[in-house]
């Protein structure tokens, strides 16, 4: 069976990553291996297995507020901040 | 034939609606607009590793309620999916949304003629009352608010993770006016169900528009363009009017329409290219592994069913049938439920319901714009209407009573007494006034007898003046005519 192909350059551009040609080749082969491993799941015969019914009472939450984090602790994780905003590189589509 | 009538526009809308809940979609942080920045955040809505989402039951119930109000089928089992994209307004780098199994499918919005722009409410297009089909309604989480500075952007995550419904229409709309009515009609239904305040200018309702043009009679769609940055219902109409004309002009010159997203600039009154869609977005949807499917058929849908209110169309029918108001008045009352409740109380105790509607919708609204805080008790309107209909005061006097009622709200009967306005309906008193009038105006009497019927007005005027406006005009007319023909 041939290894499934994935366009690593496309995925990298979606994730805003810049890859060298060497990295692209390396990741293509690595991800291909992962995908072909996952593909083995498709070999399993599941036609006779009944679909799992979700539980009647799913884990839902009542619409009641719980405490939030303090502004200080929220901002403490941010690489940059100003005026209580988390600052990121300019984003305009 | 004008060139534009050879072309037809095809329009579909994607409407995002903020669901009114106390807390966010997947965590207990407060869902509140306008609070200090970055103060309603926790590990879940910040997307910190190891946190797990738990769906808000109320947001699901309100989405089902919306589906029920719009005639959708409610999925017995709905699922959440991850929509992956990399953008700083989304802390997890994916948005929890619904892809294959949304909560609601099908349904539709009927276009209310009175929610078309004013100047085309009488058009055939408005009167047609078309039903615009919906594809689906799904529930997802909203993203953060971004502020753009010269060289960087700042993010307030308070809105991130708040519940957001997406209502997707079929490409059934054919004109900017229809899109305008669609949004207004939809908003009215959302307000009736208390699902959202759905104010576009506050971002509670946001709308993306897909529009293309094709020659009339052609089945295939033209290349569609997506419009963004539409911040009001009238803005949607203006943007569509511009964009349709732009596309028709391009087609007539033989130019191809680019498959692109265009930004509406309300000040410039034009759309501008934002990006071309050479490559479709690849969101790599997959089932959200952190969430179980939601069973709606185990009580959730039933609990939503109990919340279905009297819908705007039902209310309009009832107002016309039980209160005798005009279709236009019914539409105005329907668009303001507080005013409508006030009117229903005002008209409850009187048979003169249409008269009460006239006062409330014309005179009352111009002096007391907020019926929820007005000191004027609604029953007073019924009382006033009965006084006029019973002949105790005439309509000119009613205006005086009304002015006084607004200035110092008390029972109209009291006001009539206080102002000494009680109409004279006693026929012997009126007869005496009429005799006086005839004696004092021999010229008019002669004219009348000679066939100048209008001459009677001078006599009536005399009686009204003598009685200080209190004489019942209809009765005076009757008495004068009988005396003059004797």
């Amino acid at each position: 069976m041939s290894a499934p192909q994935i366009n690593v350059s496309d995925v990298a551009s979606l994730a805003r990553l810049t890859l060298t040609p060497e990295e692209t080749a390396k990741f293509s082969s690595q991800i291909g291996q992962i995908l072909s491993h996952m593909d083995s799941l498709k070999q399993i015969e599941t036609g006779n297995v009944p679909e799992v019914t979700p539980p009647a009472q799913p884990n839902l939450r009542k619409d009641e507020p719980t405490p939030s984090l303090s502004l200080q602790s929220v901002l403490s994780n941010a690489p940059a901040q100003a005026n209580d905003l988390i600052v990121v590189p300019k984003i305009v589509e | 034939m004008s060139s534009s009538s050879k072309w037809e526009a095809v329009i579909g809308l994607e409407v995002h609606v903020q669901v009114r809940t106390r807390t966010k979609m997947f965590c207990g942080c407060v869902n509140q607009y306008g609070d200090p920045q970055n103060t309603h955040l926790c590990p879940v809505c910040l997307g910190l590793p190891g946190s797990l989402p738990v769906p808000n039951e109320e947001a699901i119930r309100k989405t089902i309620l919306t589906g029920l109000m719009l005639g959708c089928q409610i999925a017995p089992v709905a699922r959440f999916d991850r929509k992956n994209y990399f953008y700083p307004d989304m802390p997890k780098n994916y948005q929890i949304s619904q892809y294959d199994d949304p909560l609601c499918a099908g349904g539709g919005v009927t276009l209310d003629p009175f929610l078309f722009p004013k100047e085309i409410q009488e058009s055939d297009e408005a009167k047609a009352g078309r039903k615009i089909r919906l594809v689906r309604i799904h529930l997802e989480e909203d993203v953060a608010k971004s502020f753009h500075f010269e060289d960087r952007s700042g993010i307030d995550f308070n809105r991130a993770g708040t519940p957001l419904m997406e209502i997707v229409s079929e490409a059934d709309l054919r004109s900017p006016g229809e899109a305008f009515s669609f949004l207004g009609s939809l908003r009215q239904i959302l307000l009736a169900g208390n699902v959202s305040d759905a104010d576009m200018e506050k971002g509670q309702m946001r709308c993306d528009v897909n529009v293309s043009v094709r020659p009339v009679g052609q089945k295939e769609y033209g290349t569609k363009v997506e419009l963004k940055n539409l911040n009001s219902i009238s803005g949607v109409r203006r943007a569509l009017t511009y964009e349709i004309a732009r596309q028709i002009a391009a087609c007539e010159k033989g130019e191809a329409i680019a498959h692109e997203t265009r930004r509406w600039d309300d000040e410039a009154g034009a759309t501008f290219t934002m990006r071309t869609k050479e490559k479709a977005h690849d969101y790599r949807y997959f089932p959200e592994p952190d969430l179980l499917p939601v069973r709606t058929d185990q009580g959730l849908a039933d609990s939503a069913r109990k919340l279905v209110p009297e819908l705007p169309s039902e209310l309009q029918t009832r107002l016309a049938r039980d209160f005798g108001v005009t279709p236009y008045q019914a539409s105005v009352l329907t668009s303001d439920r507080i005013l409508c409740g006030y009117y229903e109380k005002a008209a409850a105790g009187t048979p003169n319901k249409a008269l009460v509607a006239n006062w409330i919708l014309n005179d009352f609204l111009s002096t007391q714009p907020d019926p929820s805080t007005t000191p004027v008790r609604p029953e007073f309107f019924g009382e006033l209407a009965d006084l006029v209909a019973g002949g105790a005061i005439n309509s000119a006097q009613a205006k005086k009573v009304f002015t006084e009622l607004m200035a110092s709200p008390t029972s109209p009967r009291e006001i009539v007494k206080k102002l000494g306005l009680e109409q004279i309906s006693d026929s012997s008193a009126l007869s005496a006034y009429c005799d006086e009038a005839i004696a004092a105006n021999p010229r008019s009497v002669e004219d009348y007898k000679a066939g100048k019927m209008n001459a009677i007005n001078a006599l009536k005027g005399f009686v009204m003046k003598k009685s200080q406006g209190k004489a019942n005009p209809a009765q005076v007319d009757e008495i004068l005519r009988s005396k003059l023909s004797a």
Side-chain angles (χ1 to χ4, degrees):
Chain A
M1 199 184 85
S2 70
Q5 286 300 306
I6 189 160
N7 190 334
V8 168
S9 316
D10 263 5
V11 176
S13 83
L14 287 169
R16 311 283 200 270
L17 295 174
T18 313
L19 300 183
T20 63
E22 293 74 31
E23 285 172 322
T24 305
K26 186 174 159 193
F27 292 143
S28 294
S29 115
Q30 286 182 349
I31 292 172
Q33 281 170 30
I34 295 169
L35 288 176
S36 63
H37 179 69
M38 295 309 288
D39 245 17
S40 60
L41 288 174
K42 287 188 188 158
Q43 315 297 322
I44 302 168
E45 177 57 55
T46 56
N48 302 323
V49 183
E51 198 181 338
V52 177
T53 317
Q57 293 297 326
N59 189 17
L60 300 181
R61 192 171 54 76
K62 293 259 175 267
D63 187 22
E64 282 157 11
T66 52
S68 295
L69 297 170
S70 70
L71 176 65
Q72 198 188 10
S73 61
V74 166
L75 295 179
S76 67
N77 260 336
Q81 48 162 292
N83 307 324
D84 299 340
L85 295 172
I86 292 172
V87 170
V88 297
K90 183 157 176 82
I91 37 157
V92 174
E93 266 193 279
Chain B
M1 194 185 214
S2 78
S3 65
S4 65
S5 61
K6 287 187 236 153
W7 298 89
E8 173 182 64
V10 176
I11 303 162
L13 301 181
E14 291 168 20
V15 186
H16 284 96
V17 177
Q18 289 184 348
V19 183
R20 199 204 290 174
T21 54
R22 295 175 68 199
T23 66
K24 293 191 182 182
M25 186 61 228
F26 297 110
C27 65
C29 287
V30 171
N31 174 16
Q32 175 72 46
Y33 173 80
D35 280 358
Q37 292 157 342
N38 289 312
T39 53
H40 300 316
L41 294 167
C42 74
V44 174
C45 57
L46 273 174
L48 300 187
S51 61
L52 282 173
V54 186
N56 183 338
E57 186 180 53
E58 185 64 10
I60 296 173
R61 185 178 294 114
K62 284 193 163 162
T63 304
I64 297 173
L65 170 59
T66 304
L68 292 171
M69 292 191 294
L70 295 170
C72 305
Q73 292 119 34
I74 308 303
V77 179
R79 290 178 171 81
F80 287 104
D81 297 278
R82 285 189 184 178
K83 178 181 181 178
N84 298 277
Y85 65 93
F86 190 78
Y87 207 67
D89 62 8
M90 241 184 7
K92 298 192 290 290
N93 289 342
Y94 60 84
Q95 179 188 28
I96 303 179
S97 180
Q98 297 191 283
Y99 192 62
D100 289 322
D101 299 299
L103 279 161
C104 314
V109 173
T110 302
L111 303 181
D112 184 332
F114 292 105
L115 295 176
F116 273 76
K118 262 233 148 54
E119 70 278 13
I120 55 169
Q121 285 176 1
E122 293 297 318
S123 65
D124 293 341
E125 162 184 68
K127 286 180 173 167
R130 283 184 67 212
K131 183 174 178 176
I132 305 304
R133 293 167 303 152
L134 297 180
V135 180
R136 57 190 270 157
I137 305 175
H138 68 250
L139 183 57
E140 59 189 27
E141 52 180 343
D142 208 344
V143 298
K145 199 163 170 28
S146 318
F147 299 86
H148 302 296
F149 308 111
E150 200 161 319
D151 56 345
R152 51 202 188 148
S153 295
I155 315 278
D156 168 15
F157 281 103
N158 280 354
R159 197 178 67 186
T162 57
L164 193 68
M165 278 190 299
E166 183 172 331
I167 301 173
V168 184
S169 88
E170 295 280 5
D172 281 354
L173 296 157
R174 293 289 173 270
S175 72
E178 284 191 348
F180 185 93
S181 176
F182 177 90
L183 290 167
S185 305
L186 174 63
R187 174 161 193 261
Q188 211 166 68
I189 291 169
L190 296 169
L191 289 174
N194 197 22
V195 168
S196 172
D197 292 329
D199 188 338
M200 277 192 81
E201 278 155 58
K202 290 185 184 150
Q204 294 159 334
M205 183 157 103
R206 308 195 282 272
C207 179
D208 294 340
V209 175
N210 287 301
V211 54
S212 61
V213 297
R214 64 183 173 189
V216 169
Q218 180 181 304
K219 277 236 164 62
E220 297 77 35
Y221 292 140
T223 305
K224 75 177 172 187
V225 167
E226 186 175 353
L227 300 182
K228 286 198 178 283
N229 194 39
L230 303 163
N231 300 321
S232 67
I233 294 180
S234 54
V236 170
R237 183 190 181 207
R238 285 193 293 275
L240 274 169
T241 304
Y242 173 87
E243 180 60 19
I244 290 166
R246 186 192 72 83
Q247 290 188 16
I248 290 173
C251 288
E252 294 199 325
K253 278 190 265 173
E255 292 168 6
I257 303 292
H259 184 210
E260 61 182 353
T261 300
R262 296 177 73 88
R263 182 176 184 284
W264 168 246
D265 183 333
D266 210 26
E267 250 170 62
T271 61
F272 299 97
T273 300
M274 270 175 84
R275 54 175 181 259
T276 50
K277 290 190 166 180
E278 282 157 7
K279 204 164 75 172
H281 264 282
D282 181 1
Y283 292 126
R284 294 154 291 147
Y285 281 98
F286 63 86
E288 168 55 80
D290 287 344
L291 292 169
L292 286 166
V294 177
R295 297 279 300 263
T296 67
D297 56 354
Q298 304 287 312
L300 205 47
D302 287 335
S303 70
R305 207 160 274 124
K306 291 195 186 94
L307 298 175
V308 175
E310 180 178 41
L311 294 173
S313 57
E314 296 166 343
L315 176 58
Q316 285 183 19
T317 307
R318 184 169 65 83
L319 287 170
R321 187 190 61 215
D322 297 350
F323 292 77
V325 303
T326 65
Y328 173 72
Q329 289 176 328
S331 160
V332 175
L333 288 167
T334 302
S335 66
D336 184 342
R337 291 286 175 127
I338 294 172
L339 180 67
C340 188
Y342 187 87
Y343 167 69
E344 285 188 61
K345 269 189 215 151
T350 171
N352 307 300
K353 298 181 193 302
L355 195 51
V356 173
N358 288 340
W359 271 323
I360 290 194
L361 293 178
N362 301 325
D363 314 82
F364 174 67
L365 268 191
S366 58
T367 56
Q368 309 264 332
D370 187 357
S372 60
T373 57
T374 178
V376 183
R377 285 179 28 210
E379 306 86 80
F380 290 162
F381 284 96
E383 203 179 306
L384 184 57
D386 289 345
L387 288 171
V388 177
I393 54 173
N394 60 38
S395 52
Q397 291 169 323
K399 277 217 179 315
K400 281 187 197 157
V401 176
F402 180 87
T403 308
E404 183 63 19
L405 180 61
M406 294 300 120
S408 56
T410 167
S411 153
R413 268 194 195 87
E414 300 291 321
I415 295 174
V416 167
K417 266 189 211 146
K418 193 173 93 185
L419 299 181
L421 290 177
E422 277 147 316
Q423 198 168 142
I424 303 168
S425 301
D426 168 28
S427 46
S428 62
L430 291 179
S431 185
Y433 279 131
C434 290
D435 287 338
E436 231 182 292
I438 288 167
N441 299 281
R443 186 72 177 264
S444 301
V445 173
E446 229 170 85
D447 286 351
Y448 180 82
K449 288 190 171 165
K452 282 191 186 164
M453 304 311 266
N454 280 342
I456 201 170
N457 291 334
L459 301 173
K460 278 199 231 170
F462 183 91
V463 174
M464 294 313 285
K465 205 171 172 187
K466 275 274 164 188
S467 67
Q468 294 172 317
K470 294 190 220 169
N472 179 328
Q475 246 177 303
V476 170
D477 183 76
E478 202 178 302
I479 294 170
L480 280 173
R481 280 177 203 280
S482 89
K483 283 188 191 291
L484 291 173
S485 60

